Amino acid sequence: MPQPDGYSDVPAGKIAAVVTHLEMTACPSRRDDPPGAWRLRRVERPALDWYRDLYRRVGEEWLWFSRARMSDATLAVLIHTPGVEVHALSADGSDEGLLELDFREPGQCELVFFGVTSKLIGTGAGRYLMNRALELAWRNDVGRVWMHTCTFDHPSALAFYQRSGFRPFRRQIEVANDPRLDGTTPRDVARHVPVIE
């Protein structure tokens, strides 16, 4: 159902974000890696505690909550299923970046989750991770790579994805229960999105 023009109320206890879907239908020219001592490794059948910890450290400030609300059984099925790959970006011996790719749709790859922890933002690690993500995404018989971001993400995220070769093709509004009010995330994260009870 189309939304009316103008303002729409978001009920107390909810959050609302504008989600932008982006895609590329041809492998972009390779961009140079920034200087840095990072390494990407695939994590086969990731342990749930490890995955949840990295997911939280990368995404909590941007209100990533979908995987945090999943039961262990649901999460395990999702990240252990054939066609889904989980990769970790390591810096100084610690996992500080998350890349999740979904190849289950023939001819496509979705960058499901992509990001680095706050200590790596602005260091070039994101560019390094995106370079590896695109190499991995396009290595098979793929004709489309896509992802989405939202207005809760880092203010530079959308422009970064567009510089990387992605083109916006769809916009949606996502409304959900505020994860800070039900204990999914700490109450003091994502100060750029005010809590309204």
Side-chain angles (χ1 to χ4, degrees):
M1 173 171 29
Q3 291 282 14
D5 287 347
Y7 295 103
S8 299
D9 285 337
V10 176
K14 299 279 190 178
I15 53 174
V18 177
V19 179
T20 301
H21 298 259
L22 304 108
E23 67 181 351
M24 56 176 67
T25 55
C27 185
S29 299
R30 189 181 187 286
R31 296 180 70 174
D32 290 338
D33 285 335
W38 308 293
R39 187 175 66 87
L40 188 70
R41 66 182 173 85
R42 182 163 179 192
V43 182
E44 300 282 352
R45 295 191 60 81
L48 298 185
D49 288 345
W50 172 88
Y51 181 93
R52 287 185 188 281
D53 173 67
L54 186 56
Y55 175 90
R56 179 191 59 76
R57 290 187 297 115
V58 169
E60 194 168 72
E61 186 58 33
W62 315 113
L63 285 181
W64 290 11
F65 60 87
S66 60
R67 298 291 171 82
R69 285 184 169 154
M70 288 181 178
S71 70
D72 284 353
T74 301
L75 179 60
V77 166
L78 195 58
I79 64 175
H80 296 161
T81 194
V84 173
E85 297 180 5
V86 175
H87 300 262
L89 178 76
S90 298
D92 299 323
S94 175
D95 292 330
E96 300 293 337
L98 177 64
L99 172 64
E100 186 174 328
L101 303 170
D102 186 341
F103 291 96
R104 290 177 294 170
E105 185 73 30
Q108 297 190 45
C109 175
E110 179 187 1
L111 272 68
V112 182
F113 288 105
F114 173 94
V116 297
T117 60
S118 60
K119 74 184 203 177
L120 291 187
I121 291 175
T123 66
R127 166 56 45 213
Y128 175 87
L129 182 59
M130 181 57 76
N131 287 351
R132 302 294 81 73
L134 294 176
E135 288 172 2
L136 291 167
W138 287 103
R139 76 184 185 274
N140 296 323
D141 187 22
V142 167
R144 177 177 182 251
V145 176
W146 71 282
M147 65 182 310
H148 67 270
T149 188
C150 76
T151 49
F152 294 158
D153 205 350
H154 189 282
S156 301
L158 183 56
F160 172 79
Y161 298 140
Q162 289 178 286
R163 284 193 311 274
S164 299
F166 287 93
R167 177 191 62 80
F169 72 92
R170 183 180 186 190
R171 190 173 293 125
Q172 295 179 298
I173 302 291
E174 179 183 22
V175 177
N177 291 328
D178 191 328
R180 297 165 296 184
L181 295 177
D182 65 12
T184 301
T185 64
R187 190 175 176 102
D188 62 347
V189 301
R191 295 183 188 272
H192 62 294
V193 181
V195 174
I196 300 176
E197 295 186 71

